[in-house]
Amino acid sequence: MFDPIADEFDVDQTLDRGAAARAAENAAQVELILVALHYADLNAVVQPPPGGEIVPGIERLRVFGGEGCPPLAEFCAMEFGGRLGMSHGAAAAYLGEALALRHRFPKTFAQVLAGKAEPWRARQVARACLSLSLVAAGIVDDRVSGIINKVTPARLGRIVAAAKMQADPEKAKADAELFARQRGVWLGRANEHGTKSVIARTAAGDANRLDAAVEELAEILALCGDTDSHQQRRAKALGLLADPAAALELRSHGRRKAARSTSSAAGPASPVRPVDPGDTKLNAPAEAIAEASTDANANVSASASASASACATVDASARADGDTSADGGACADANVSRGGRPDADLSASRHVGADPQLAARGQSKELEDDLHEDGVDEDSEDSEDGVDEDVSLDRLLADIKYRSARRAPHTVYVHITDTALAAGEGVARVEGIGPMLVSQLKELIAHEHVVLKPVIDLREQISVDAYEAPQRIREWIKLRYPTPMVPWATTETTLSTDLDHVRPFTKNGPPGQTSTTNLSPVTRLPHNAKTHGGWRNTLLPDGSIEWISPRGARYLVDHTGTQYLGQVDLATGVFTASRPPPSVTLRLAEGS
């Protein structure tokens, strides 16, 4: 029974109660680690397959905690995670961390058992050193065991990183080389407000150049009337770089606007000098201009160190204005050409400052030269592309993006009710993003060339006779089940997710066995556990899935998530309520 906090507690008594609660939490975490170790000891063997035949996907022994840890039966993580409300991946990681503490970090583990080190900190150390050898892990153990509870988590992370390098310098060098080969760009998960993070790992020089390009476009947006904060404009600028032609055109427009502002501030413009037919400079061959421009825009990335890298996270949401320069920027490499001539490098060598008029004041001569080189007359009423210089920002971006040459196809699945569609307000769900306000759909697909496809009716049943599911069935399953239908799933269903025949497919069986009424998306380990590990599932009429583990644990998986239903006596099939947890605390065996 929960003991509520007494209203008459003063500040000191309330803090004492909080400290006691934290101590109880740590004690519970220690007990859970001991439970995990005991469970691991009970699952250190794999039953041989019937007939002794080894087939792909069969259960095997697997080391979860690193060198020096005993191997475990691979499917045991699914049973452990199911009862503790974890995905099988999180359960495998937890079991591995517990085993690593016992077998690779004995001094740190002793501190945990003595109540001198918080268990989550110790698990953090074990997780960070998973790839180290047993000897190197021992060196880290010596270094951190006495201070693990005395420093902040951030400092502990730095100490562990330094200790790893000292313990195994060759491994640290190999890891650095591996990290350089693991550069890439990833999309994070969308939040409920329709924003996503872009995560990039790239060479430091490329990151700096992208940061300069983003900054320049952000200042051009301000020059064109965007009143959002600096970071909001940087987020918009990153989105513009996804369409290089549009970004290039906006940049040219902004430079013309800056030059016009400079001319206005300086007074009446000087008379335009008549063109002299004999002026060889003005009549230089186009090939020579292109060659000179190409030379001026030579690739400068070669000067960046090949080994230098930067990891950055760019949040595309509307954030408060703040300095994020320490985090670097995401990466985009693009060689953009227009009119047959390479234009100026988007990642300009100069960095436009926070003052929107800096380009006009400090770089007017450079702008003027560039504009003459581009053949642009800054005294004309309209720009060369027909965009009115004084048009609103929204109209400007719409015109630029509409004329953009980029037409990369991209499919967007939108789930929306007829009521919300008619009213233009309400909530829609977008695949890969999540819930969005209907009004935000304009932001998602604005200025794109939209091709509407027929609505996929999820009430329609599709079936084929072959074992493999065709693309149209995979698409139906992806839309019907946004996440895999396994206990405590954490990933999203994709077109490549495993599809499980809930009623097993049989050769020479009835037609239509591969159908939307008999397929369920599953991740690979649960799929193998059902095929080879004794797990069973049943597709219910409402589309939910009931799973039963080899030990009789029942789980209901539906669109709301996972629910543990209790136990089934496998011998009799009788359902029993969940057994209460034992009251006796597990202790380590002598010598463990």
Side-chain angles (χ1 to χ4, degrees), residues 385-431:
D385 50 27
V387 177
D388 186 349
E389 296 291 344
D390 296 324
V391 74
S392 69
L393 179 63
D394 287 344
R395 174 63 185 277
L396 171 67
L397 294 179
D399 288 345
I400 287 176
K401 290 187 176 184
Y402 185 80
R403 289 194 310 275
S404 170
R406 183 181 68 88
R407 295 293 182 267
H410 181 68
T411 302
V412 177
Y413 298 99
V414 179
H415 300 258
I416 186 171
T417 65
D418 54 352
T419 304
L421 187 61
E425 59 183 24
V427 179
R429 181 171 65 83
V430 180
E431 293 291 327

Side-chain angles (χ1 to χ4, degrees), residues 490-526:
T490 58
T491 58
E492 292 185 357
T493 302
T494 69
L495 293 176
S496 61
T497 299
D498 283 9
L499 297 184
D500 170 45
H501 289 78
V502 181
R503 295 183 298 276
F505 185 92
T506 57
K507 292 183 178 180
N508 303 319
Q513 295 181 75
T514 300
S515 71
T516 53
T517 59
N518 189 40
L519 289 175
S520 170
V522 294
T523 46
R524 181 58 53 86
L525 184 71

Side-chain angles (χ1 to χ4, degrees), residues 395-556:
R395 174 63 185 277
L396 171 67
L397 294 179
D399 288 345
I400 287 176
K401 290 187 176 184
Y402 185 80
R403 289 194 310 275
S404 170
R406 183 181 68 88
R407 295 293 182 267
H410 181 68
T411 302
V412 177
Y413 298 99
V414 179
H415 300 258
I416 186 171
T417 65
D418 54 352
T419 304
L421 187 61
E425 59 183 24
V427 179
R429 181 171 65 83
V430 180
E431 293 291 327
I433 296 179
M436 294 182 68
L437 295 175
V438 172
S439 58
Q440 291 180 300
L441 292 177
K442 180 179 71 173
E443 184 181 79
L444 180 66
I445 60 176
H447 316 308
E448 301 290 346
H449 287 251
V450 178
V451 177
L452 294 178
K453 294 184 177 181
V455 173
I456 298 175
D457 188 351
L458 297 182
R459 296 171 297 181
E460 180 185 5
Q461 298 181 5
I462 310 172
S463 65
V464 294
D465 298 338
Y467 176 80
E468 294 294 336
Q471 186 74 5
R472 66 181 185 277
I473 288 184
R474 286 190 167 275
E475 189 175 27
W476 192 101
I477 294 293
K478 175 184 181 296
L479 297 176
R480 178 69 175 81
Y481 303 104
T483 59
M485 297 296 284
V486 297
W488 312 112
T490 58
T491 58
E492 292 185 357
T493 302
T494 69
L495 293 176
S496 61
T497 299
D498 283 9
L499 297 184
D500 170 45
H501 289 78
V502 181
R503 295 183 298 276
F505 185 92
T506 57
K507 292 183 178 180
N508 303 319
Q513 295 181 75
T514 300
S515 71
T516 53
T517 59
N518 189 40
L519 289 175
S520 170
V522 294
T523 46
R524 181 58 53 86
L525 184 71
H527 202 176
N528 290 339
K530 178 195 172 182
T531 305
H532 304 289
W535 282 78
R536 295 177 291 167
N537 63 356
T538 303
L539 181 61
L540 304 180
D542 62 354
S544 59
I545 302 284
E546 181 183 78
W547 286 83
I548 299 180
S549 80
R551 305 200 64 82
R554 294 176 66 225
Y555 303 95
L556 180 66

Side-chain angles (χ1 to χ4, degrees), residues 125-468:
V125 173
R127 180 169 57 253
C129 300
L130 187 65
S131 62
L132 291 184
S133 68
L134 183 60
V135 173
I139 296 174
V140 176
D141 190 30
D142 291 337
R143 177 73 176 85
V144 304
S145 60
I147 62 170
I148 190 170
N149 240 34
K150 298 180 180 180
V151 296
T152 64
R155 187 179 174 192
L156 177 63
R158 293 192 293 268
I159 292 172
V160 171
K164 287 169 60 179
M165 295 179 185
Q166 295 168 356
D168 194 342
E170 292 301 319
K171 179 70 167 56
K173 182 178 178 181
D175 286 346
E177 294 173 353
L178 176 64
F179 191 85
R181 293 195 298 272
Q182 291 177 340
R183 293 171 180 169
V185 180
W186 302 268
L187 285 180
R189 291 187 176 183
N191 64 17
E192 67 274 18
H193 302 298
T195 63
K196 272 193 174 186
S197 295
V198 179
I199 305 167
R201 185 180 296 133
T202 182
D206 289 341
N208 290 338
R209 281 185 287 276
L210 177 77
D211 182 68
V214 167
E215 185 68 16
E216 182 179 17
L217 286 178
E219 297 307 331
I220 288 174
L221 288 173
L223 188 64
C224 293
D226 194 327
T227 58
D228 284 343
S229 70
H230 179 235
Q231 285 301 326
Q232 286 176 290
R233 285 186 278 111
R234 282 177 60 88
K236 294 178 184 178
L238 184 64
L240 283 167
L241 287 177
D243 188 345
L248 187 61
E249 187 169 345
L250 177 65
R251 180 173 178 268
S252 298
H253 177 84
R255 297 177 72 182
R256 285 192 296 271
K257 194 174 183 68
R260 185 182 297 277
S261 176
T262 302
S263 300
S264 299
S270 301
V272 178
R273 178 171 62 88
V275 176
D276 183 356
D279 192 333
T280 56
K281 181 178 179 181
L282 292 178
N283 289 277
E287 293 81 8
I289 296 176
E291 181 180 354
S293 177
T294 302
D295 292 340
N297 290 282
N299 190 350
V300 298
S301 63
S303 62
S305 171
S307 61
S309 63
C311 183
T313 300
V314 181
D315 191 347
S317 62
R319 299 192 300 264
D321 202 356
D323 182 11
T324 58
S325 58
D327 293 331
C331 163
D333 286 329
N335 292 322
V336 183
S337 62
R338 179 177 165 206
R341 181 182 66 82
D343 201 278
D345 187 358
L346 281 180
S347 51
S349 58
R350 62 185 180 275
H351 199 103
V352 180
D355 184 353
Q357 302 300 326
L358 178 60
R361 292 202 304 268
Q363 301 171 9
S364 58
K365 182 62 171 64
E366 182 179 353
L367 283 170
E368 183 180 350
D369 292 343
D370 287 342
L371 293 170
H372 278 301
E373 179 182 318
D374 290 343
V376 178
D377 181 4
E378 57 267 44
D379 290 327
S380 63
E381 288 298 324
D382 297 324
S383 66
E384 62 177 1
D385 50 27
V387 177
D388 186 349
E389 296 291 344
D390 296 324
V391 74
S392 69
L393 179 63
D394 287 344
R395 174 63 185 277
L396 171 67
L397 294 179
D399 288 345
I400 287 176
K401 290 187 176 184
Y402 185 80
R403 289 194 310 275
S404 170
R406 183 181 68 88
R407 295 293 182 267
H410 181 68
T411 302
V412 177
Y413 298 99
V414 179
H415 300 258
I416 186 171
T417 65
D418 54 352
T419 304
L421 187 61
E425 59 183 24
V427 179
R429 181 171 65 83
V430 180
E431 293 291 327
I433 296 179
M436 294 182 68
L437 295 175
V438 172
S439 58
Q440 291 180 300
L441 292 177
K442 180 179 71 173
E443 184 181 79
L444 180 66
I445 60 176
H447 316 308
E448 301 290 346
H449 287 251
V450 178
V451 177
L452 294 178
K453 294 184 177 181
V455 173
I456 298 175
D457 188 351
L458 297 182
R459 296 171 297 181
E460 180 185 5
Q461 298 181 5
I462 310 172
S463 65
V464 294
D465 298 338
Y467 176 80
E468 294 294 336

